[in-house]
Amino acid sequence: MMNTTVEKKYKKIMVVEDDRGINRLISYNLSKNGLTSECVYDGLAAQEKLAREVFDVVLLDVMLPGVDGFHICKSIKDNPAAFKTFVVMLTAKAEPQDKIYGSLVGADYYLTKPFSVARLMEIVNELIDMRDKEYSVDTPVLNKKQECAR
Amino acid sequence: MRIKLYWKLTFIFCIIVALAIAAGYAYLAPHLKSYVENGVASNIKRQLFLSKDLLEALQKDKTAPIDFQASAARIGDILGLRATIIASDGKVLGDTDLTGDQLLVVENHAGRPEVKAARAGDFGVSKRFSSTVKKEMLYMAVPFSLDSGRGVLRLSVPLYDIGLLQEKVRNVVVVSVVGILLFSLGLTVFVSVFISRPLTEMSLIAKAMAQGDFSKKAYTRSQDEIGDLARALNTMSEDIRGKIESINSGKTKLDLVLSSMFEGVIVTDAHENIIIMNPSLRKLFLIDMDPEGKRPLEVIRNNAVDDMIGKIVKEKQQLATEEIVINIPEERILKVNGVPIMSNNRLEGVILVFHDITELRHLEKIRQDFVANVSHELRTPVSSIKGYAETLLDGALEDKVNAKEFVNIIYQDSNRLVSLINDLLDLSKIESGKLKMSFASLDPVLLIKKGVTVINNQAQAKSISLEVNISQDLPKIKADETRFAQVMINLLDNAIKYSSEGAAVIISAKAADGVLQIDISDSGMGISEEDIPRIFERFYRVDKARSRELGGTGLGLSIVKHIVSAHGGQVWVKSELGRGSTFSFTIPLA
């Protein structure tokens, strides 16, 4: 587990997950890592929030009431104001075509349920670190896409 | 131009008869004249000698001198000829055509050629112009002994008379020839009719056969070739009728099979012209024209079908299978199997069979969606269990504030998994028909009360009152006790879950039209109109989050629907948003 640093608290993370148990699980583990997050339980609420604010990382379920996760991911990536936002898909949709679709709409990571909490925290920390070091967004994202497509 | 056999025969016979008669006449005509002339001449000659004998006999009777003029007149009268008696010096002693006075002045006949010849020998003949009677004459003369030496008896006839005779004979011949000709013509017509009539009759029968009428029979009494032909025609008619009947019955069977087939069938010949197209295919492609003899593209207007036929014709592939999609009037997926019809290694045509697999594909899609849904439904609670367990192991166990709650979540989600697995097993058993239902005649009052008792604790937890408004003497129903209870519990469970605390759930029942209808009404949140048709679908939830919170699997109503259907009943819902819902189902009476 990564060190908790004071700067991390400034990063904005949104968890979009309709299962309250899982939503709670993720926020609990994020806060344990010194990260605060906003919990959203349906697609429409997520879109409303994304229209108003820019997040650093969005953890996104696919099968959501209202608007599905793939659409939300695409609207994030299509929004010039939010181009720095990392999207981690977190979904029960585990078919190869779902993963390909995820990479097509621009997801940076694609985790299938049941997922490992440790792995999720690793990814989130990595992305936050990347943002901290002010890396150019394009290069790692391309790499991540390749990893995701694999 | 078509000439009837009758006329041909008549014409030919006429020509033959006419030629035969003409040939006969041509042969006879030149002989006829000389024959008549010779006949007349020899007659005159015989009469001449007879007359000579008579004259000589008269001379021997010396009692009276002979009156030569009277003798000549007498001989001429009897014979119808001109007789002349000439003395040895050439002086005319008597002549039929001359009077006594004329005799005295008549020219001496010694120089006449026939007289000369007669005096020189014993007979003379001559044909010349008579200066005495001014006519062309035939003369014949013979010498006879006269007291005063040798006289000459001469008989003559005008050549004109012989000509007349010849004319008469020829007229007789011509008349008889014409008569024979007419008689032959009549005979010819009769023979022609006799020969051609049976042929005409048979030709009519053959024509009738060609038009499918086999009722007529040829008349077969004669034993000749025509009789043979008639018998052969009759046998052939019978044979053809038999064959046509067997072909027709075969065709009827084929038609029957093709028209009662659900699959579409099209048969073409080797040139890709349609021979057969069955009603199912016409219906599938909305074809109302007569397709026989036309090209498939013209009739079906589908390139894929046309290409397939072309490919089979070209490649003579044993079995070609393709899936084609048509959009008229609605999207349908068709599986097309095609085979070439081969006879002695030669392509005779192509058969295509169209199976409508739209429903099959639809079911497949439903099944695939269901599998994807099941996977999702299982993955969510498992993620939660796995995630919380991981979190607890990772140190949250020490977090006394949250640890108990996390374990509680694990417990709830494992319960969710258990009920999900149970529901899935139930559903799969019901759908695959493996669920054994034992139907019995049961009292619905007891069954309803039992269901209410089971769910009562759950209702009491939410202070919900279960009101059972049923008459105590409902007729018995034919039901499986356990499955009926499952339906009651599922519906009551839903009613309680979606009702607010302290509300009432009303259960009522009535028997009508051979079924018992049970209604379960709540005053809960209700269901929106667009959701109503879908709530019996598997995993369809009006409010997913709420359903999961309440421990629903998304399969309850689907199971209810299946069980009620298996009983032969129906299930439906009436609902109004914010006012509550009434779920009703029927079970047949025992």
Side-chain angles (χ1 to χ4, degrees):
Chain A
M1 205 60 60
M2 307 291 279
N3 296 332
T4 37
T5 58
V6 180
E7 301 89 67
K8 278 183 181 173
K9 289 179 182 166
Y10 301 116
K11 304 300 174 219
K12 294 180 76 172
I13 300 174
M14 178 160 73
V15 181
V16 188
E17 168 62 65
D18 64 329
D19 188 288
R20 281 167 193 271
I22 292 175
N23 208 324
R24 167 94 202 279
L25 172 73
I26 295 168
S27 353
Y28 176 84
N29 280 288
L30 287 174
S31 70
K32 234 169 75 180
N33 277 272
L35 294 161
T36 52
S37 58
E38 290 194 41
C39 297
V40 176
Y41 301 99
D42 67 85
L44 281 172
Q47 273 194 325
E48 271 169 33
K49 233 180 215 322
L50 283 163
R52 287 198 308 268
E53 301 170 52
V54 173
F55 288 86
D56 293 293
V57 178
V58 176
L59 302 182
L60 194 55
D61 187 10
V62 173
M63 292 168 88
L64 289 165
V67 186
D68 83 66
F70 288 136
H71 273 94
I72 296 170
C73 179
K74 185 144 196 331
S75 64
I76 293 170
K77 294 296 177 181
D78 285 347
N79 179 5
F83 76 99
K84 279 185 169 178
T85 305
F86 291 116
V87 176
V88 179
M89 305 299 297
L90 200 60
T91 172
K93 288 182 91 72
E95 296 293 311
Q97 64 263 32
D98 298 324
K99 292 182 186 174
I100 291 167
Y101 198 68
S103 77
L104 284 177
V105 295
D108 298 281
Y109 277 98
Y110 195 98
L111 285 187
T112 55
K113 290 176 185 173
F115 58 94
S116 150
V117 175
R119 175 70 185 135
L120 179 65
M121 290 308 124
E122 226 174 272
I123 290 166
V124 172
N125 279 314
E126 187 189 322
L127 294 174
I128 294 293
D129 284 351
M130 227 184 275
R131 183 57 29 86
D132 278 346
K133 287 172 189 165
E134 294 193 350
Y135 271 9
S136 96
V137 177
D138 297 350
T139 323
V141 165
L142 275 177
N143 289 338
K144 295 303 173 274
K145 276 183 185 170
Q146 281 161 6
E147 183 187 320
C148 152
R150 247 184 268 138
Chain B
M1 201 182 81
R2 190 168 174 274
I3 301 166
K4 283 194 167 183
L5 179 66
Y6 164 78
W7 288 114
K8 278 183 192 163
L9 283 174
T10 307
F11 185 68
I12 290 168
F13 283 147
C14 285
I15 288 194
I16 291 171
V17 168
L19 279 177
I21 289 171
Y25 184 75
Y27 172 76
L28 205 61
H31 290 79
L32 202 64
K33 202 173 162 192
S34 60
Y35 181 77
V36 170
E37 219 174 274
N38 291 342
V40 170
S42 72
N43 221 4
I44 293 173
K45 202 174 170 182
R46 275 198 302 275
Q47 286 165 350
L48 187 62
F49 280 101
L50 190 66
S51 306
K52 175 197 128 180
D53 287 352
L54 193 71
L55 273 179
E56 283 175 346
L58 276 176
Q59 266 189 232
K60 283 190 183 128
D61 179 12
K62 306 280 189 203
T63 52
I66 300 168
D67 180 352
F68 285 109
Q69 174 62 16
S71 298
R74 194 167 159 74
I75 290 169
D77 276 351
I78 292 169
L79 295 180
L81 299 168
R82 178 183 162 210
T84 312
I85 300 167
I86 302 155
S88 50
D89 57 351
K91 186 177 173 277
V92 175
L93 299 175
D95 191 304
T96 317
D97 289 358
L98 297 177
T99 58
D101 299 337
Q102 284 169 318
L103 274 177
L104 298 175
V105 294
V106 80
E107 202 183 335
N108 185 302
H109 276 44
R112 299 287 197 273
E114 69 279 359
V115 177
K116 252 186 196 165
R119 290 172 68 175
D122 55 357
F123 183 70
V125 65
S126 165
K127 228 188 272 181
R128 62 184 167 76
F129 187 78
S130 160
S131 53
T132 319
V133 289
K134 316 283 187 240
K135 272 181 188 169
E136 193 79 36
M137 303 286 282
L138 174 65
Y139 295 99
M140 281 187 175
V142 67
F144 73 96
S145 46
L146 200 67
D147 295 339
S148 54
R150 275 167 69 91
V152 171
L153 174 63
R154 190 185 73 176
L155 286 177
S156 64
V157 67
L159 281 174
Y160 171 76
D161 287 359
I162 297 176
L164 269 182
L165 192 63
Q166 283 173 341
E167 197 112 309
K168 260 186 204 160
V169 170
R170 209 180 59 222
N171 284 347
V172 169
V173 169
V174 167
V175 166
S176 43
V177 161
V178 169
I180 290 169
L181 199 62
L182 288 177
F183 178 71
S184 308
L185 282 181
L187 211 61
T188 294
V189 169
F190 176 73
V191 168
S192 300
V193 168
F194 186 73
I195 293 176
S196 69
R197 203 188 50 200
L199 290 173
T200 310
E201 198 179 285
M202 280 188 269
S203 135
L204 286 176
I205 290 171
K207 267 184 203 159
M209 273 164 64
Q211 281 158 7
D213 176 10
F214 294 96
S215 61
K216 288 183 180 141
K217 286 276 164 289
Y219 183 66
T220 60
R221 207 168 59 184
S222 78
Q223 292 296 319
D224 58 6
E225 289 89 337
I226 289 177
D228 287 347
L229 181 61
R231 276 184 286 277
L233 189 72
N234 288 344
T235 318
M236 197 169 79
S237 162
E238 278 302 313
D239 280 3
I240 292 177
R241 178 157 61 176
K243 287 207 170 85
I244 286 178
E245 269 166 17
S246 83
I247 288 170
N248 277 347
S249 89
K251 198 173 177 301
T252 311
K253 274 180 207 157
L254 184 68
D255 278 350
L256 205 66
V257 169
L258 284 175
S259 56
S260 54
M261 263 174 91
F262 179 72
E263 286 82 9
V265 177
I266 181 171
V267 182
T268 73
D269 61 16
H271 305 292
E272 301 178 37
N273 295 317
I274 296 169
I275 302 171
I276 298 172
M277 181 182 263
N278 77 341
S280 291
L281 192 72
R282 284 164 177 244
K283 219 168 100 191
L284 206 57
F285 284 97
L286 304 175
I287 296 163
D288 48 11
M289 63 165 124
D290 180 21
E292 267 174 46
K294 297 200 174 78
R295 315 284 293 181
L297 191 63
E298 190 184 338
V299 178
I300 300 182
R301 299 192 180 280
N302 185 302
N303 282 321
V305 174
D306 196 56
D307 289 350
M308 206 173 156
I309 294 172
K311 199 175 151 196
I312 295 170
V313 167
K314 214 171 93 192
E315 297 176 5
K316 300 180 178 57
Q317 222 179 313
Q318 259 322 301
L319 178 74
T321 302
E322 251 166 74
E323 263 187 46
I324 62 168
V325 178
I326 55 171
N327 291 305
I328 304 163
E330 56 195 3
E331 191 182 85
R332 302 220 74 92
I333 305 165
L334 305 175
K335 187 178 163 208
V336 190
N337 288 328
V339 282
I341 311 168
M342 304 294 287
S343 163
N344 298 328
N345 252 347
R346 213 162 59 84
L347 184 82
E348 294 286 337
V350 174
I351 302 179
L352 293 190
V353 180
F354 295 71
H355 305 266
D356 187 344
I357 53 166
T358 314
E359 203 54 34
L360 207 69
R361 283 281 176 276
H362 179 63
L363 290 175
E364 222 164 76
K365 176 85 175 35
I366 289 176
R367 197 183 55 81
Q368 278 169 1
D369 288 353
F370 177 66
V371 170
N373 272 326
V374 168
S375 149
H376 179 262
E377 296 294 327
L378 288 170
R379 279 168 191 277
T380 305
V382 170
S383 318
S384 172
I385 292 167
K386 181 179 148 90
Y388 279 108
E390 200 183 331
T391 307
L392 285 168
L393 287 173
D394 198 41
L397 271 175
E398 309 306 323
D399 180 355
K400 295 291 176 199
V401 186
N402 289 307
K404 196 179 176 196
E405 195 199 334
F406 290 174
V407 174
N408 200 30
I409 291 173
I410 291 175
Y411 177 67
Q412 275 172 14
D413 274 330
S414 46
N415 275 343
R416 244 167 83 187
L417 272 182
V418 170
S419 43
L420 186 63
I421 288 165
N422 284 339
D423 280 359
L424 278 174
L425 285 176
D426 268 357
L427 203 60
S428 107
K429 268 194 252 169
I430 296 170
E431 285 194 347
S432 62
K434 277 178 190 151
L435 185 78
K436 288 222 171 69
M437 305 257 233
S438 47
F439 293 108
S441 181
L442 301 168
D443 180 5
V445 180
L446 282 178
L447 290 178
I448 291 168
K449 282 186 176 165
K450 213 181 256 179
V452 169
T453 316
V454 170
I455 211 84
N456 209 20
N457 285 344
Q458 207 176 309
Q460 274 173 2
K462 269 182 97 174
S463 320
I464 285 170
S465 60
L466 297 174
E467 294 173 16
V468 184
N469 295 340
I470 57 170
S471 128
Q472 295 303 305
D473 51 359
L474 285 172
K476 289 199 169 183
I477 54 171
K478 193 173 166 241
D480 177 293
E481 190 172 353
T482 322
R483 298 298 156 188
F484 183 88
Q486 197 175 358
V487 170
M488 282 301 295
I489 290 164
N490 274 352
L491 292 177
L492 287 171
D493 183 52
N494 276 349
I496 292 165
K497 273 180 188 162
Y498 292 100
S499 290
S500 42
E501 292 211 358
V505 170
I506 301 156
I507 300 128
S508 55
K510 59 174 185 250
D513 300 330
V515 291
L516 182 74
Q517 181 183 328
I518 297 159
D519 304 314
I520 295 168
S521 310
D522 62 57
S523 50
M525 59 202 285
I527 306 160
S528 72
E529 215 167 292
E530 69 256 30
D531 284 322
I532 285 182
R534 300 199 59 190
I535 56 166
F536 292 102
E537 283 177 25
R538 293 175 294 200
F539 295 123
Y540 188 81
R541 295 182 180 94
V542 175
D543 183 344
K544 202 164 128 192
R546 178 136 189 220
S547 158
R548 216 172 269 157
E549 248 167 67
L550 296 168
T553 58
L555 294 174
L557 285 177
S558 187
I559 290 171
V560 164
K561 190 180 178 181
H562 274 101
I563 293 175
V564 171
S565 300
H567 277 79
Q570 282 178 310
V571 60
W572 67 94
V573 63
K574 279 183 188 153
S575 186
E576 211 178 312
L577 266 181
R579 286 275 182 89
S581 315
T582 301
F583 280 85
S584 310
F585 67 100
T586 56
I587 298 286
L589 297 177

